[in-house]
Every structure is written in C-alpha cells, then in structure tokens.
Amino acid sequence: ERETHLMLSFRDSRSPEVFEALYHSARPALLSWILHLCTLRSLRTDPAELLQDTFVNIYRYASSFQADCGTGFRGWARAIATNLTRRATCRSRLVSLDALPEGDQEPCDGRAGPELVLSTSEQSEKLRRAWFLMLWHYGRAYQELSLRDRHALELIEVDGRSYAEAGRILRVGRSSMKMIMFRSRRRLREHMRGAMEHRSLERLRAG
C-alpha cells in the first residue's frame, strides 16, 4: 500500500514533502470514509473539518504508527477518523427550527457564481499552506512534551480511550488524568504561539 510506505517514511523523516504527498494520496479515500460515517450517524458536522482533524492527529502521532498492525495506514487512519466522528456525534445538535424558511418562502439558490468560485479556490490554497505551516509548528511543539504527556494525548485523542481507561494505563487517577491532558494541551498552545510570534517578528524585521 503506497500510503503505508509514505507514512513509514514520514514517521522516520518528519519530512513536510513526504507528509504532503501522503495527504494528497490518502485524502480522497479518507474523505469518502468520513462521508460514509457522517451519513450513518446523520452528522451535520462539516466532513472537511473532520478530515483536517484526522490529518492533524496523523501528523501528531506519526511515531506511534506500526506497519505490522495488520491494517496498514488505511486502517489506522480510519480508526482515528472514526473516533473523531464519534466525538463529533456526541457534540452535535439538531438544527434549530428558527433556521428553517418561514411559511411558503422558497429557499434561495446557494450555489456560488464563477467569481466566488475563483475567490474560494484562491482562499483554499492559502488555507492549505497555512494548515501545513500550522502542522509543522504543532509537530515541533509536540516533540517538546514529555513522554508521559505524549502518551496521554495518544491514548485519549488517537485511541479514543476514556480518561478512566487512560488513567489506568498511566497508573494515575481519573482527575489526575484530566489535569495531565489540560496541561499537555496548554503547553502545546504556548509552544505554538511562541513559535508563531517569533516567526512573525522575523518577517517584520526582514521587511
């Protein structure tokens, strides 16, 4: 499987070019899987958001990927997407009746015109570049965490375990597990914010 080889290469090299190749190769099939899950669960969350979150976790927990897990990259990535979809289902709510058309009003045509399509395409490219930059900063920040913090994030956000289950594995209580997760996420945000602010200052000085 091409994606499995790319994943192994990225796991060992952390090359942005390899990850981008993996993203473009795996994206169509993974998006189809997410769409399938959203249909089964009648989920209103944007599949593109779930896809992005899935690749964030793939990037974040690349070191935990094992080619001999039996399912390869596709099964591993689908498991991550499934866990994210399950959580999104728990958070989702029905659309309010206030958002529905009133009386006999016909809904307006929501299709975009040519100018909007072009603008959206340009914005999507800018967003893609920003997303890969964010992933790069995230990967750097993740490597700064302790082994325990990384293990905790993996148990909760990739494996989809409860705080109680993860706590048993790490041999801490449920409340302690929650505190570990809170501090780990806060450290990630602080590392990323500091790196991005430093990059912005360098650009201002260069300009």
Side-chain angles (χ1 to χ4, degrees), residues 98-110:
D98 293 337
L100 298 176
E102 297 181 4
D104 296 328
Q105 291 178 338
E106 291 289 337
C108 63
D109 186 354

Side-chain angles (χ1 to χ4, degrees), residues 131-156:
W131 184 61
F132 277 110
L133 179 62
M134 182 274 292
L135 281 177
W136 185 80
H137 282 300
Y138 197 106
R140 294 285 298 272
Y142 180 73
Q143 294 303 317
E144 294 293 326
L145 296 178
S146 67
L147 288 175
R148 186 191 67 172
D149 288 351
R150 280 185 265 172
H151 193 189
L153 285 165
E154 182 180 339
L155 289 169
I156 297 294

Side-chain angles (χ1 to χ4, degrees), residues 30 33 37 54 71 73-87 157-160:
L30 198 50
W33 174 251
L37 293 175
T54 298
T71 58
F73 172 80
R74 181 166 298 181
W76 185 68
R78 282 186 173 186
I80 294 173
T82 300
N83 286 330
L84 288 169
T85 305
R86 185 182 300 116
R87 288 179 206 150
E157 298 186 352
V158 174
D159 296 344

